[in-house]
């Protein structure tokens, strides 16, 4: 059988002192952490778009990356070869999940019928490859933002014909996700936002978007797809203003249109920081709203104002992310999807392995540190102590609704100035550093 | 009677060709615009904190501004003199509304009882001055962020005793707002957020904040206060992360805790831009959620990352803000409150007049341009045309829930590629410029 | 002769009350402002890359814009047709200058010799078209950033062979600029910066860049090209960190390597704001260093962190830019080049005219307001007054080096606390508004 | 003798497994790293302003921090007690350097003569305390930004009388720095910038600033002060735009006015990030210009747009900073000054120790990692290899000026397309992580 990575063997765990670049130093899939294997905690997924379709192009230059599997001139042959290469990559890397947009795996044709036929053909191959390699689809999705027809939006398009086209794509994408046993389906509305308010009816566009989501839920139920639906927040880019700005804005939307029980969130690190939040903040915000679904594991560059989609390597970030994930019970349907791309100048095929290994090791390390922090009760004990008043008389009366403003004023007048305690932030940051 | 602005006469409208700096060039209070006076459209309010309590201090130096009315050594005498000066200022400027925090108008004492007594004393004077001068209180509020007791939050404090103290302050502030016939009451949670997630129980803190809001609503009903409650979004500063990040995050909170019918939003321009939104975006977002309440009329500096609270002078911004306000029916209980402060080096008493005149003229001009845009139907006609498909067969079927994914797919297969139309953004921006 | 804009007539000045979108409302080329025609003040140039080669592609989707002149399959035929279309556009728009990169006007071939031959062929046509249409080349440049060979930099590449290739391109580009009578030549180092310091020798790279610049100066002298050399600052994008960060960083480089007399700066509005400066700041910084050369007239979006390259429409910005330009004697070799692109959804050919008309009107208006401000001496009188002390005894002694620390201490002890005057910022902003 | 930190013993190195919060886990002063003690590498300094004068005030509330040593009502008694407390703190913490502004250590009086007399009195005590405790002054400076007289600038003030006052302060501050054997003197121009260009003569202001610097150099020579002069870049805050924006802008200024040999730079991490640069970038930029002087060791919050001045705890940042420092030969006259302040809610006296311990440990760890990276030649070998072409024939000919554009074009035509190599950024980031 043809191989696309001939000089690469299956990546193995060799421990932190290994000097072999193409090995895991920290990610040991079968190692038990807090009662589960690392693989079960982390549920790594490779994304198809960046990893197999990325070329290194940017607004100032075309692609720099040339791949054997993308060399065929017939787009369907190219699609098949890329699919085989992908599964070879998954296997050699040792991940169990993948994610894709419909258009990543099968090229669009001149009309929807033919486009769908092409997709079906590739999906059939993918289904067999999944089965042969023990792979699962973490989530599927449609690309309703690249084609010029979506330049003014998909579900929020001023034209209902484009809405219909987007709905048709989503329908098919949900169906192939079901066919592949996908655990979830993501909505990222790349052009669901506006370029200028001068030509935009924001209220009506959001009503339409909600209608699209309701139809998707209905279709999901109709066909018996049991995967989880996710919305992925992003504040800006490609549009000037994306409606799904951040977790809070998505939750406001989901609650307004009574969709809160049908969707969770897919939080991306780089989208969080573009919105002015830390990655952990967005995870925590999702979790306390019962909406922590899945994670796009990447990182941005804090000095840059666009979506750099870099592979995650910052141990502080992976630690705090996994800390919040563990605190809230771990990932269930979701996973850690590397929505990350090689730098434009990382043109070697080995760079693709280095990049994923680095991301997996960074999260493995974050998991282990976070687990140790949890097991030692480091911050939880301090937090419990800090809020102890709320577990006592006054606190409990307030929490259970037994106090009103009159009673609280009476309490304050009788008790005078409350004692105020240091937040000890610097000490806590030092403690964190002893675990890093 | 003592005067604090002896060389300043009542500011008059003199038209745009006047060269007199201390005059209105555009704000003509009785001029009718779209069937209402400019005064009724704009409902300008002067804020007490910046205008009468501001000293020009910043993190790198103490105050530079010295005022006669703040020269008394006895804090209550100072408070009274400041109040008289304020009403002289309101009158000379020709505004009909004002806003304050409890601590702006009356100094805090050693205990809550005495603090409240001081407040009552000043409020009594204010009530008479309102009556004598035909002034109204646009909204009142409490300062539950400056005192060190609130350093870890007020309603979101880890200590229920501080929560109780905050509740007592809010109670009293609502009561004095009622006493003064206030049209609204604002919640700006200056320390309702976190400095580090390492010591924070975000979920519990937000539950407490919601409980505080519910109690406030109960108390409002109990005492028969009929003013409007507002929440004021801000993304950061003073805390690293403010829970009321932006309109979307506030709406998510209000919907989650079933408070959406009890609160509207008080949108501040500078808070909008700090959150990565335009001023108009936040107004529009509020309006389409039925939550456009009141406005803090200022501006930030797009090159700076903190709350500069400058007086609004950008005609584009005031135009688009008033455009959205007019489109959604105008302000009702709310108004345009100048939450804006003099630059540290603007130390003359006349600078206080220049600043407010500039802000009032900028909004008057914005109102007139926005009204003309509305009357000419400039953008509305284009928008109606752009979304015309939604008023026809397919669009109406979708909007009224008569289509599902199967039907839409059928439609798409039958109709093929939709026609896509230019958004004409540049042309629209040019048209806007012909109105500026 | 074939026409590419068949429904567009020459754009005429019709005055500000005209309702005809395809007309100038403010730009009246022959109108005299401060002793010169508007055309001579503004020296508008159309850029070839965005206007004729732009397709609307972005990182999330391919091009949306389809042009007749780009429909030929043979790249050289396409290049010729595009050139004819460009000159038709220049003429219909009524601009007298254009700008291009070598690769915009002629497609790259398989080797440099053939590439240069193609360029020569197109340049010959361009030369005739210039002559026929009374057009001038404002500046030429090379594209040494798009081709994958430059992915790690051009003059700052780790490989001297790439340096040599870049030098060869620059050589040819300077030569064809000379051939076309170009008034200047711009260096914008799209990849002259770094992606990560982990693999970068910053000191050595900058030494190489300086060497490249010296060679360019030598070659310019050798061939007798008398145009002005410009460096264009940009802080980031495409690289994580561009060496030519802003005017200050460019000046530091030019002074360090003794190139300060050979280069001026080409200031772009959007690059200024990405660097945390206002457009006017960068112009002023250039001017006080004798380096105000030419201008890339566009605008960014302050809420977005990337180079949006929008057409300039903000009257405040064009006013303050022209104010600084007029104050420092106007543009000489440089001009206002619209380095601006249509929004991705502005797909009609008329949008191209709307966009340029909007930019030209915005700068015409800015020019007229700035001229009025200058003629009235509005700010200059206030500034002269504010710094009056420096024209008197103490100030003059200091400026002329006649005081030292001992003398100044003596003066201070004798004279005591200095009088400090208000900066009156709000009043000045109001005055500006009366001119807008 | 009175003690101000009665429950704190001298902080000791206890190794990384110690659970004692008030101990060093990594900073072992006498440990030899690359041939020098850690103490000699790191040269930690405590800053007087934040550590002993900071109260936790912010723009939204007054101070929260209460210290015994600041309890005296007489300002000179308070100054003396604070000084004794400071030296007790230095000793218990185990640092050998400190830094101060004149106004931190001695309160300003009604006139300069008396102010200077107060300063002399405190300096005499400080001199003795230095001698008794083996302490050195890393650098001194004046505060010419807090007093209202400087609200419009010090050296860049529109009034020469204020310039004279600033000069008098600088004169005295240099003299007391000399008296205390200070190793350096820092210029941080807190108000040397502008609030609005509408009232600013930027060119003239910068000429004045240069004149002030020249006078300072002259005075330094006159009195025989042999310490190093430093300029500290900062892009904004308190002014809208600070002239000393970043290293590049400072270098441009120093070169323009021929001051480059008299000044080095004092790089602050938080100022770097506010300017859009990484900390390491600014250090590298200084170093390659021969201007790496001293370091203000703190950190900002990448999500916040103001100077948060947090204690440094990020190991990546301290590693890369020390990596650049080691690469360029280490610190000589300069040191690592903790220009960092406690969070407003960190009100305990122990928090002051935690904060400094955390910063010292973070830099000790960074030093050790950086030394290991250097010793292993990790990145240097890769970089040498990457630029190897420059050490060979073509590269050397270019570097030594033996090639011109004609020769390079000939080379390119003969040699064709250069080979382009992957930058391997992801692999390098992974390698870095194995050292963290």
């Amino acid at each position: 059988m043809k191989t696309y990575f001939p000089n690469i063997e299956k990546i193995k765990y060799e421990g932190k002192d290994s000097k072999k670049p193409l090995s895991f130093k920290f990610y040991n899939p079968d190692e038990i952490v807090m009662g589960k294997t690392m693989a079960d905690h982390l549920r790594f997924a490779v994304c198809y778009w960046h990893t197999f379709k990325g070329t290194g192009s940017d607004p100032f230059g075309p692609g720099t990356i040339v791949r054997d599997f993308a060399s065929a001139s017939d787009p369907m042959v190219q699609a098949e070869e890329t699919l085989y290469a992908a599964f070879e990559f998954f296997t050699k890397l040792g991940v169990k999940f993948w994610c894709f947009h419909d258009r990543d795996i099968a090229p669009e044709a001149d009309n929807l019928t033919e486009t769908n036929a092409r997709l079906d053909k590739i999906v059939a191959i993918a289904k067999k490859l999944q089965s042969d390699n023990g792979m699962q689809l973490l989530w599927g999705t449609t690309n309703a933002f690249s084609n010029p027809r979506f330049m003014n939006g998909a579900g929020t398009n001023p034209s209902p014909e484009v809405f219909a086209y987007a709905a048709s794509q989503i329908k098919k994408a949900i169906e192939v996700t079901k066919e592949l046993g996908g655990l979830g389906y993501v909505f990222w509305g790349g052009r669901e936002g506006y370029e200028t308010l001068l030509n935009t009816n924001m209220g009506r566009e959001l009503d339409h978007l909600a209608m699209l989501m309701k139809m998707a839920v209905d279709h999901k139920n109709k066909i018996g797809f049991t995967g989880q639906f996710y919305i992925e927040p992003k504040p800006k880019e490609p549009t000037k203003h994306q409606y799904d700005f951040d977790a809070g804005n998505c939750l406001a939307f989901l609650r307004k249109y009574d969709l809160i029980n049908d969707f969770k969130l897919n939080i991306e690190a780089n989208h969080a920081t573009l919105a002015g939040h830390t990655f952990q903040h967005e995870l925590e915000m999702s979790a306390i709203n019962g909406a922590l679904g899945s994670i796009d594991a990447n990182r941005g560059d804090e000095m840059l104002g666009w979506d750099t989609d870099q592979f995650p390597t910052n141990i502080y970030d992976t630690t705090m992310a996994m800390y919040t994930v563990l605190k809230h019970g771990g990932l269930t349907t979701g996973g850690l999807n590397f929505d990350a791309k090689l730098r434009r100048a990382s043109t070697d095929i080995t760079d693709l392995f280095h990049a994923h290994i680095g991301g997996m090791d960074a999260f493995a390390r974050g998991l282990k540190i976070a687990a140790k922090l949890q097991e030692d009760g480091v911050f939880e004990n301090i937090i419990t102590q800090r809020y102890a008043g709320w577990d006592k008389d006054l606190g409990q009366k307030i929490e259970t609704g037994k106090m009103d403003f009159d009673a609280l004023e009476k309490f304050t007048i009788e008790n005078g100035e409350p004692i105020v305690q240091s937040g000890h932030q610097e000490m806590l940051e030092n403690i964190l550093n002893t675990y890093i």
Side-chain angles (χ1 to χ4, degrees), chain A residues 411-420:
Chain A
F411 176 90
T412 300
I413 287 170
E414 287 170 6
N415 288 273
E417 195 64 34
I419 292 164
V420 177

Side-chain angles (χ1 to χ4, degrees), chain A residues 11 21-24 27 44-52 67 89-90 92-95 97 297 310-313 336-342 349-364:
Chain A
I11 309 301
L22 291 178
S23 73
F24 295 115
Y27 179 57
F44 290 123
V46 170
C47 87
Y48 212 89
W49 53 101
H50 286 316
T51 297
F52 305 110
R67 301 289 187 221
F89 182 83
F90 302 152
K92 288 191 166 170
L93 188 63
V95 297
F97 299 97
Q310 292 175 257
F311 278 86
T313 58
L336 294 172
N337 171 50
F338 290 114
D339 187 1
K341 64 183 174 192
L342 293 178
I349 196 78
T350 49
D351 292 323
L352 214 45
F353 282 89
H354 288 305
H356 284 84
I357 289 168
M360 292 165 79
D361 266 351
F363 264 97

Side-chain angles (χ1 to χ4, degrees), chain A residues 206-207 209-211 213-215 217-218 221 229 231 250-263:
Chain A
L206 284 162
D207 289 346
L209 188 60
M211 181 60 76
M213 298 298 180
K214 281 182 213 288
M215 286 185 192
V217 171
D218 289 345
N221 293 333
F229 274 1
I231 288 187
C250 288
L251 292 166
F253 172 83
L254 291 173
R255 289 189 190 280
K256 178 178 180 183
Y257 293 103
D258 198 21
L259 290 161
I260 192 74
N261 296 318
D262 296 305
F263 288 82

Side-chain angles (χ1 to χ4, degrees), chain A residues 223-263:
Chain A
I223 64 171
F225 174 53
T226 57
Q228 176 67 47
F229 274 1
Y230 307 109
I231 288 187
E232 178 169 331
K234 187 176 186 185
K236 50 191 168 188
E237 201 195 12
T239 74
K240 174 199 163 43
H241 199 288
Q242 306 268 127
Y243 292 133
D244 296 332
F245 192 84
D246 61 4
N249 279 269
C250 288
L251 292 166
F253 172 83
L254 291 173
R255 289 189 190 280
K256 178 178 180 183
Y257 293 103
D258 198 21
L259 290 161
I260 192 74
N261 296 318
D262 296 305
F263 288 82

Side-chain angles (χ1 to χ4, degrees), chain A residues 144-154 157-158 162 190-195 239:
Chain A
F145 49 87
S146 290
N147 191 295
R149 81 174 68 91
F150 300 118
M151 72 181 190
N152 292 310
N157 200 285
V162 178
R191 307 269 175 199
E192 312 292 24
Y194 61 80
E195 293 299 332
T239 74

